Amino acid sequence: MIKKEMIAMLLAGGQGSRLGVLTAKVAKPAVAFGGKYRIIDFPLSNCINSGIDTVGVLTQYQPLRLNAHIGIGIPWDLDRNVGGVTVLPPYEKSNSSEWYSGTANAIYQNLAYMDSYNPDYVLILSGDHIYKMDYEVMLDYHKANNADVTIAAMPVPMEEASRFGIVVTDEKNKITDFQEKPEHPRSNLASMGIYIFSYKVLKEALLKLSNQPGCDFGKHIIPYCHENGKRLFAYEYNSYWKDVGTLGSYWEANMELIDIIPVFNLYEEYWKIYTKSDALPPQYVADTAKIEKCIIGEGSNIYGEVYSSVIGCGVTVEEGAVIKDSIIMKGAVIGKNTKIDKAIIAEDVVIGDNCIIGEGEDVPNEKEPKIYSFGLATIGEGAVIPDGVTIGKNVAITGVTTIEDYDNGVLASGKSLIKAGEV
């Protein structure tokens, strides 16, 4: 039997519904980030930078783009004869067929995969966070404490603590209590959804709770381990970590990359972020162009003006266009004299000439006020916007739209234009 000290299980099946139209056609971990990356590149890069060469990636929702991106793991040096990266979709068993119904249920359904490596430890990761972490240091901490479970945790403002799983610890960081999204939190140490389990402990808990509907780590596995006298420790993390699960946090994390001194640095030599890169020509910046404080992807053609924005690969910004504080993803085309202010434009969107996007009052979205807020205009993948329209704030658009879809050429703030069959 092959023996691995620690393997990683990367949960990447999430729909990411809080990202609205950005995840209509793609799983959240496959959403573009930082001009040339996808969100899943960050935990995958952390694995190989930490010396972990065996990673199971659990996919479910809209997996096509994610599977194509991961491939056999070449960009992350995870194309190994033994170990490497393995995509683990739900599959039909001889006596049943079931989707992954919770984070722990997904891991339980892949016990055979984990058993095949006979690991001492299993690292559980989420596929939708932006951060850099050396998991080897966390494993050393786990061993030093003779822990059964180690939970990576970071301090959050007390007023936000009820949004997270909260750990309460003693002076040695041993966990004395675990509260899942408590109304009255007893600490501000929030679980990051990154766990190291001693494999025997994890397997015992998964088998014991296998019949629990929607079996989840925060709600079921961690409390079970705690109640049954297992040694749980908190590994405190104080560097950059961002859950980019809302449009606001996703936009903010991208904008932080272009600060003069970015809080999250993509350019460090010793901790590289790897990704699957297409063979693209260099970017072209015309003499009519103006660019200030931006990330511009390879293969992009810039004829207009771009300020404080993240531009993906293969984007065209036509002459006279002005883009500010926006994210423009791979393959998008921005027409002549179009003005865009604080928008997220998904992949392969075509925006006509003389449009104005992101203008108007910051009113809540009528249909999905919790998703389409933050003053952003969000346009889904492959959408087409006709010439000469004005689009407000907190709007969502998908599909091929025509001038007839707009009221006097205007989509007012807070409105949605979702074409049938698109979401």
Side-chain angles (χ1 to χ4, degrees):
M1 182 184 275
I2 306 156
K3 174 78 177 163
K4 293 279 183 184
E5 183 183 31
M6 183 161 80
I7 65 171
M9 299 294 277
L10 179 50
L11 295 156
Q15 179 178 349
S17 55
R18 290 177 301 155
L19 288 178
V21 296
L22 293 189
T23 50
K25 297 180 179 180
V26 63
K28 181 162 66 166
V31 170
F33 184 85
K36 68 175 289 181
Y37 304 100
R38 297 193 184 276
I39 294 169
I40 198 168
D41 291 337
F42 295 86
L44 277 177
S45 297
N46 288 341
C47 284
I48 203 65
N49 287 331
S50 303
I52 298 167
D53 64 4
T54 305
V55 185
V57 180
L58 289 77
T59 62
Q60 180 155 291
Y61 172 80
Q62 295 277 26
L64 185 63
R65 184 90 43 87
L66 199 56
N67 295 353
H69 182 68
I70 294 168
I72 59 169
I74 291 171
W76 305 272
D77 192 27
L78 286 169
D79 51 327
R80 308 290 178 102
N81 287 334
V82 176
V85 68
T86 306
V87 175
L88 300 167
Y91 59 93
E92 194 162 346
K93 291 81 174 169
S94 57
N95 57 353
S96 70
S97 176
E98 58 178 313
W99 290 102
Y100 297 149
S101 62
T103 53
N105 174 266
I107 302 294
Y108 166 73
Q109 289 195 44
N110 288 283
L111 274 172
Y113 169 80
M114 294 188 288
D115 280 341
S116 70
Y117 293 104
N118 189 25
D120 297 319
Y121 308 99
V122 174
L123 170 68
I124 309 289
L125 301 171
S126 173
D128 50 13
H129 298 150
I130 305 294
Y131 65 108
K132 298 175 186 174
M133 181 190 280
D134 190 337
Y135 304 131
E136 203 167 17
V137 176
M138 185 175 169
L139 178 60
D140 290 343
Y141 179 86
H142 181 88
K143 291 178 184 171
N145 284 302
N146 193 25
D148 295 310
V149 187
T150 298
I151 300 174
M154 69 184 298
V156 296
M158 203 66 187
E159 58 272 18
E160 290 181 28
S162 57
R163 290 174 42 215
F164 299 92
I166 293 296
V167 294
V168 182
T169 62
D170 64 15
E171 66 283 354
K172 293 183 178 174
N173 282 341
K174 188 175 183 185
I175 294 171
T176 56
D177 196 12
F178 185 85
Q179 301 176 286
E180 180 64 16
K181 298 183 179 174
E183 201 174 324
H184 304 291
R186 290 175 47 212
S187 120
N188 70 330
L189 258 190
S191 167
M192 297 165 67
I194 299 166
Y195 314 109
I196 291 179
F197 282 86
S198 297
Y199 184 47
K200 285 179 184 171
V201 172
L202 174 63
K203 190 171 178 179
E204 176 205 315
L206 290 171
L207 290 168
K208 191 78 179 172
L209 299 175
S210 62
N211 294 325
Q212 189 79 39
C215 191
D216 184 82
F217 280 99
K219 289 180 189 153
H220 304 111
I221 300 291
I222 304 292
Y224 171 85
C225 292
H226 184 246
E227 287 157 16
N228 285 273
K230 306 299 182 191
R231 289 174 61 80
L232 275 68
F233 280 81
Y235 173 72
E236 192 169 327
Y237 180 78
N238 284 293
S239 293
Y240 184 94
W241 177 85
K242 200 131 194 166
D243 177 350
V244 288
T246 65
L247 290 171
S249 62
Y250 173 79
W251 177 83
E252 197 174 76
N254 273 275
M255 293 301 112
E256 285 169 348
L257 299 174
I258 53 178
D259 286 340
I260 301 300
I261 302 172
V263 285
F264 186 75
N265 190 346
L266 292 172
Y267 306 99
E268 285 170 337
E269 273 298 310
Y270 74 94
W271 200 269
K272 287 184 178 172
I273 306 301
Y274 300 95
T275 189
K276 174 176 178 271
S277 292
D278 298 324
L280 290 167
Q283 59 198 211
Y284 173 73
V285 179
D287 60 353
T288 53
K290 287 184 184 173
I291 298 174
E292 284 180 14
K293 210 176 81 161
C294 294
I295 288 172
I296 309 285
E298 301 154 308
S300 288
N301 294 289
I302 312 296
Y303 300 92
E305 300 177 24
V306 190
Y307 304 99
S308 302
S309 295
V310 174
I311 308 295
C313 300
V315 169
T316 299
V317 178
E318 297 283 11
E319 203 169 331
V322 180
I323 298 169
K324 294 178 182 173
D325 301 326
S326 295
I327 301 164
I328 315 289
M329 295 187 201
K330 179 180 173 185
V333 177
I334 313 301
K336 290 178 180 173
N337 303 314
T338 282
K339 309 285 185 277
I340 299 178
D341 187 13
K342 202 176 177 190
I344 301 175
I345 312 294
E347 296 183 31
D348 300 320
V349 168
V350 177
I351 296 177
D353 300 342
N354 303 304
C355 295
I356 299 173
I357 296 174
E359 180 169 271
E361 292 180 39
D362 191 350
V363 298
N365 186 274
E366 291 175 354
K367 292 181 180 172
E368 300 278 6
K370 289 185 177 173
I371 295 175
Y372 303 110
S373 50
F374 317 103
L376 290 160
T378 308
I379 301 179
E381 183 177 323
V384 175
I385 309 297
D387 294 346
V389 299
T390 297
I391 293 166
K393 299 176 187 290
N394 300 328
V395 300
I397 301 175
T398 62
V400 177
T401 67
T402 64
I403 194 69
E404 287 75 27
D405 295 314
Y406 297 81
D407 186 8
N408 292 321
V410 175
L411 184 69
S413 293
K415 301 284 186 183
S416 298
L417 179 47
I418 309 292
K419 285 294 194 174
E422 285 289 328
V423 176

